Amino acid sequence: MSNTKNLIRIFVLILFVSVNSCKEKAEEKAVSEEKEMPNILFLFTDDQRNGTINELHKYNVQTPNMDKLVKNGTAFTNSYILGATTAAVCSPSRAMLMTGRHYFNIEPNVYAQFAFDKEDKGKSDKLTFPEYFKANGYTTFATGKQHNGEQWVERGFSNVKSAFLGGMTRHFGTKVKDYSPETGWSEPYKNDKKFSSEVFADAAVGFIDAYKQDKPFLMYVAFTAPHDPRTAPQEYHDMYPAADIALPENFMPKHPFELADEKIRDEVLAPFPRTPEAIQKEISDYYAMITATDTQIGRILKALETSGKAENTIIVLAGDNGLALGQHGLLGKQNVYEHSVSVPMVFCGPNIPKNQKNNALAYLHDIFPTLCGLTGLDIPESIQTEDLTPVITGEKESVRESMFYAYNSWPGEKTRPNINNGGGHRAVRKGDFKLIVSAKKEVYTYQLFNLKNDPWELVNLIDDENYKDIKEDLQQELEKLIKEVGDPADLTKREFGLFDNPEAYNFKTKK
């Protein structure tokens, strides 16, 4: 009898240990699954203005795949770049995106001036988001436009396929290179028959199809479209007959006053004064480029779905800057009007609300800290912008009350700055109102717009006494933000003080 009792005790003990062991394993599995880091797919376009996603209902351009991202995620309708100190706006824009820092605080100085001086070759100690995620267990992959030097690419990415190292290029026969830490950089190669966005989508799809690791991945897919030359495959141009294109409400034959960089390359792509026909053609070609790129984005999204990894992937869609294309009589992006500083920015993925259009003020370079927030990583001390995660999840309505914008023109030769080429803008947005201060030669021009009532920035309220208090409040806010971001601008001096102290504006000069 005692032997039977002992056997029962042993059986109960074994059962107890077995049950608890299974429970512990289940808990360990649950914790493991809970801590599984999401993948990241970053889709980045070049010169795509905010509102050119059809689902955002501002411009009549067909973007079915971008529309899906908006419907499946949270789109920021007031997302902006801070600005630039060079006509090549995309270079400082991308440097800010990569580092989460304002361009006044990215060394060496050439980051905010041109892509890179040959003598510097991208030697920056500033932490980039691919580098940070790579250090935190991510396999990092890049394809497409890399406009901030080879060394940033080498530090940040485990694998690079079909990278274009430069600012602008033709879209058929784009010269690209591959890189891996083991082999270094390949010789340049090209495909004359494929549109640039297709070349980069091929690389992205190839990476997704081949990826078998357990580690999470971060993909940075940076298109060169819709940047000019706007030469999409003909089938996309056929979708937008120029004669059918509606002109924007703020179309003008010429800008109403002299301003910085009004005769640079971007602005002389169409004749002066602007004609409706010329602008319709520019917009037609622009839309064709966007739709052609949207098709390639669709291929990448389909590959992600097929891989089974879509449910655990954060997708970010954004652009590096906007473009005027006839608005205010301008063609380029070297200004601080809405059409040039406003960019698309969409987040979708695990725990991100779907079909939300959020009007909180956001910067493009908020993306670095926001990706940290969405993945649970600590935000590095080097970051100077804000984590939008609380806004995305609904914990906060906003992370800032005002926005600052800045643009300074390169004044000419490094040894002999030329006042005729100089100029710049400073602007602030707070609530519904936006104040722009433009400097050119000895002249300052002030503009005050109510963006709620006047989204096309047509009615200048600066001399309306009814808005005197608003103007003064914005002036104070502007001066405060200038100091906060480290901008050397002095609103009391010619050209904001550029010619008194060009080095402070990140312009190198020779003695």
Side-chain angles (χ1 to χ4, degrees):
M1 186 70 177
S2 61
N3 287 337
T4 303
K5 289 182 178 179
N6 287 335
L7 286 172
I8 292 173
R9 289 193 187 100
I10 292 170
F11 176 78
V12 171
L13 180 61
I14 291 172
L15 183 63
F16 177 81
V17 171
S18 177
V19 169
N20 276 278
S21 176
C22 291
K23 182 180 179 182
E24 287 174 359
K25 288 180 179 178
E27 289 175 346
E28 288 174 3
K29 182 180 180 183
V31 170
S32 174
E33 290 177 348
E34 183 180 337
K35 290 184 177 180
E36 184 181 0
M37 296 293 281
N39 305 304
I40 297 170
L41 169 60
F42 194 156
L43 302 167
F44 201 33
T45 56
D46 193 354
D47 278 8
Q48 185 177 2
R49 180 201 304 147
N50 201 0
T52 53
I53 299 173
N54 191 61
E55 186 64 23
L56 299 179
H57 310 301
K58 187 168 184 180
Y59 302 100
N60 189 21
V61 54
Q62 299 180 44
T63 55
N65 295 294
M66 297 185 204
D67 290 348
K68 290 178 184 177
L69 294 177
V70 174
K71 292 174 183 177
N72 288 325
T74 297
F76 283 86
T77 57
N78 286 316
S79 44
Y80 298 92
I81 62 168
L82 187 148
T85 55
T86 166
V89 174
C90 50
S91 177
S93 177
R94 289 161 191 262
M96 287 187 284
L97 166 73
M98 282 284 167
T99 61
R101 297 176 66 82
H102 311 310
Y103 70 67
F104 304 101
N105 308 307
I106 305 176
E107 297 84 9
N109 290 342
V110 288
Y111 287 175
Q113 181 180 340
F114 300 116
F116 287 102
D117 260 2
K118 291 181 180 179
E119 64 197 64
D120 289 297
K121 296 182 180 178
K123 295 177 182 177
S124 170
D125 62 353
K126 295 297 179 286
L127 179 70
T128 67
F129 78 83
E131 187 178 9
Y132 185 61
F133 278 81
K134 181 181 177 183
N136 280 278
Y138 277 73
T139 297
T140 53
F141 167 83
T143 184
K145 179 173 176 174
Q146 312 296 321
H147 200 189
N148 294 118
E150 288 185 1
Q151 292 197 22
W152 271 12
V153 179
E154 292 169 8
R155 280 167 35 196
F157 295 103
S158 316
N159 185 9
V160 179
K161 176 70 175 175
S162 300
F164 168 64
L165 299 168
M168 62 174 290
T169 183
R170 59 182 181 172
H171 291 284
F172 287 88
T174 307
K175 286 187 177 181
V176 295
K177 299 168 71 175
D178 301 339
Y179 169 81
S180 73
E182 296 76 24
T183 62
W185 288 96
S186 73
E187 290 298 315
Y189 61 94
K190 62 179 181 176
N191 187 324
D192 290 320
K193 296 182 179 180
K194 283 192 175 183
F195 179 55
S196 60
S197 297
E198 184 179 2
V199 172
F200 305 140
D202 284 348
V205 170
F207 174 81
I208 293 171
D209 289 347
Y211 195 76
K212 305 301 179 185
Q213 300 180 37
D214 292 330
K215 296 167 60 176
F217 61 72
L218 182 152
M219 297 178 62
Y220 177 71
V221 184
F223 298 100
T224 52
H227 196 295
D228 69 272
R230 289 182 273 275
T231 52
Q234 186 58 45
E235 63 187 284
Y236 296 98
H237 289 282
D238 293 342
M239 295 172 65
Y240 299 100
D244 296 342
I245 296 294
L247 291 172
E249 291 186 30
N250 54 358
F251 164 76
M252 298 178 187
K254 61 180 293 187
H255 193 266
F257 58 87
E258 189 177 6
L259 76 169
D261 282 342
E262 59 183 357
K263 296 291 176 67
I264 58 169
R265 188 205 72 91
D266 287 24
E267 294 300 334
V268 299
L269 292 175
F272 299 95
R274 315 302 190 189
T275 64
E277 294 76 17
I279 296 304
Q280 285 176 308
K281 179 65 166 59
E282 293 290 336
I283 297 174
S284 166
D285 292 342
Y286 184 60
Y287 288 178
M289 293 287 282
I290 293 173
T291 301
T293 301
D294 181 83
T295 298
Q296 300 307 320
I297 287 175
R299 290 181 56 216
I300 298 170
L301 297 178
K302 183 178 180 181
L304 187 66
E305 288 284 348
T306 303
S307 74
K309 297 179 174 66
E311 289 298 317
N312 192 40
T313 299
I314 294 169
I315 303 174
V316 183
L317 170 67
D320 63 351
N321 52 253
L323 205 62
L325 293 181
Q327 298 189 42
H328 294 104
L330 304 172
L331 282 183
K333 58 241 182 181
Q334 295 78 13
N335 59 81
V336 292
Y337 288 120
E338 293 291 294
H339 48 67
S340 294
V341 293
S342 183
V343 294
M345 191 160 71
V346 183
F347 294 85
C348 57
N351 303 315
I352 296 174
K354 295 184 178 182
N355 202 24
Q356 297 294 308
K357 297 179 178 68
N358 196 299
N359 63 4
L361 298 174
Y363 277 126
L364 176 66
H365 56 307
D366 288 336
I367 287 177
F368 186 165
T370 302
L371 287 177
C372 292
L374 291 173
T375 56
L377 293 180
D378 292 334
I379 296 175
E381 292 183 1
S382 60
I383 296 293
Q384 295 182 323
T385 49
E386 302 292 338
D387 175 10
L388 297 172
T389 303
V391 178
I392 293 172
T393 59
E395 296 172 46
K396 292 184 179 180
E397 289 188 3
S398 63
V399 292
R400 56 174 61 86
E401 294 182 353
S402 60
M403 296 289 283
F404 172 70
Y405 317 95
Y407 179 79
N408 268 93
S409 170
W410 170 239
E413 297 295 330
K414 294 181 180 180
T415 52
R416 295 181 292 104
N418 181 355
I419 192 170
N420 291 318
N421 293 339
H425 312 279
R426 293 295 183 274
V428 60
R429 176 178 178 179
K430 188 176 180 183
D432 295 332
F433 290 89
K434 179 177 175 183
L435 175 70
I436 301 177
V437 184
S438 298
K440 179 68 174 180
K441 299 178 182 176
E442 303 287 346
V443 179
Y444 269 64
T445 304
Y446 288 76
Q447 295 170 287
L448 176 64
F449 299 110
N450 182 334
L451 295 179
K452 182 178 180 180
N453 299 334
D454 180 26
W456 297 96
E457 296 170 295
L458 285 167
V459 182
N460 186 4
L461 304 170
I462 199 68
D463 294 323
D464 190 328
E465 285 297 316
N466 294 317
Y467 298 94
K468 180 180 178 182
D469 291 343
I470 291 174
K471 175 191 172 183
E472 291 177 355
D473 178 55
L474 289 176
Q475 183 84 23
Q476 292 175 5
E477 187 72 11
L478 177 59
E479 291 174 353
K480 183 190 80 170
L481 293 175
I482 284 173
K483 293 178 181 178
E484 286 183 2
V485 302
D487 181 4
D490 186 336
L491 299 184
T492 68
K493 292 184 178 180
R494 181 190 69 180
E495 307 277 355
F496 304 135
L498 171 62
F499 291 95
D500 297 320
N501 188 13
E503 288 87 351
Y505 281 85
N506 291 336
F507 294 122
K508 288 188 172 182
T509 57
K510 297 180 181 179
K511 301 295 183 183

